[in-house]
Amino acid sequence: MFKKILVALDRSEVGQQVFDEALGLAKLTQASLMLLHVLSPEEEGSPYVPMLSNMDYYPGLSSQSFELYQKQWDTFKNLGIQMLQSFCAQANTAGITTEFTQNVGNPGRVVCDLAHSYGADLIVMGRRGRSGLMELFLGSVSNYVLHHAPCSVHIVHLSVTPKVDEVVKETTSAFSIN
């Protein structure tokens, strides 16, 4: 029986599915949720880190680049918090005790460290689907967590089935051609 579920979320397509599965498990087991978003340059939508190697030659350019990066990073952080607040509100509305945190760092390590300190019984997270050389060179957060987590891990794969409303639209448009 699960009492504490750590939910590792990002702003990718699989994020909503990860949350939905975790919420379903929490309802079944009366577990509490800890929602986690890791701020990392690896996440899609993360701002590009400016190269500061030319700082000595173009000090004005580097400070402008850094200011732009800082604004983009602040926006990225705020979007992460908004996502967490939205999911947290949905879980609380469903009667599930939920809290959230947003941490900076290596996603795999942050997930495992928080699972340990939170006392999680289960980690629910998504998988990007990297394989072969991409996984070898870039690594896989889910693979790291599977091998280093202090508890059970549930991996959510992005479903590729079309949503019901998309099927309805396609069917409707097919019949409306005269």
Side-chain angles (χ1 to χ4, degrees):
M1 201 61 115
F2 303 117
K3 293 291 172 210
K4 290 181 160 189
I5 301 174
L6 173 61
V7 188
L9 298 160
D10 64 15
R11 293 183 15 243
S12 71
E13 291 178 71
V14 79
Q16 181 70 49
Q17 283 181 265
V18 169
F19 173 75
D20 291 342
E21 285 202 29
L23 184 61
L25 286 167
K27 286 178 185 177
L28 284 173
T29 61
Q30 295 302 303
S32 59
L33 296 177
M34 169 62 79
L35 308 180
L36 167 66
H37 178 239
V38 180
L39 291 170
S40 162
E42 298 168 30
E43 184 177 352
E44 280 179 46
S46 173
Y48 172 74
V49 179
M51 294 299 291
L52 299 177
S53 60
N54 294 331
M55 204 159 67
D56 296 334
Y57 301 113
Y58 309 106
L61 181 63
S62 65
S63 66
Q64 285 177 330
S65 295
F66 186 75
E67 285 172 28
L68 177 62
Y69 171 75
Q70 192 62 51
K71 285 178 185 171
Q72 291 171 338
W73 185 256
D74 289 343
T75 300
F76 182 62
K77 278 176 26 180
N78 291 337
L79 289 170
I81 291 292
Q82 288 170 11
M83 172 193 67
L84 290 168
Q85 287 172 332
S86 171
F87 285 144
C88 191
Q90 289 175 53
N92 287 329
T93 300
I96 302 299
T97 303
T98 306
E99 54 189 312
F100 66 85
T101 184
Q102 180 167 258
N103 301 352
V104 177
N106 175 289
R109 284 194 201 103
V110 171
V111 169
C112 290
D113 290 348
L114 184 60
H116 185 268
S117 63
Y118 175 63
D121 306 303
L122 178 68
I123 297 169
V124 179
M125 64 185 300
R127 180 173 183 270
R128 278 206 185 122
R130 284 187 185 140
S131 61
L133 289 175
M134 285 288 283
E135 185 174 5
L136 180 66
F137 290 115
L138 298 175
S140 162
V141 175
S142 56
N143 190 36
Y144 180 91
V145 172
L146 279 169
H147 287 88
H148 296 90
C151 59
S152 296
V153 179
H154 176 68
I155 304 292
V156 177
H157 294 268
L158 182 61
S159 71
V160 291
T161 55
K163 294 185 178 114
V164 175
D165 58 340
E166 290 173 1
V167 173
V168 170
K169 282 179 194 168
E170 288 176 23
T171 307
T172 307
S173 63
F175 288 119
S176 63
I177 300 170
N178 291 346

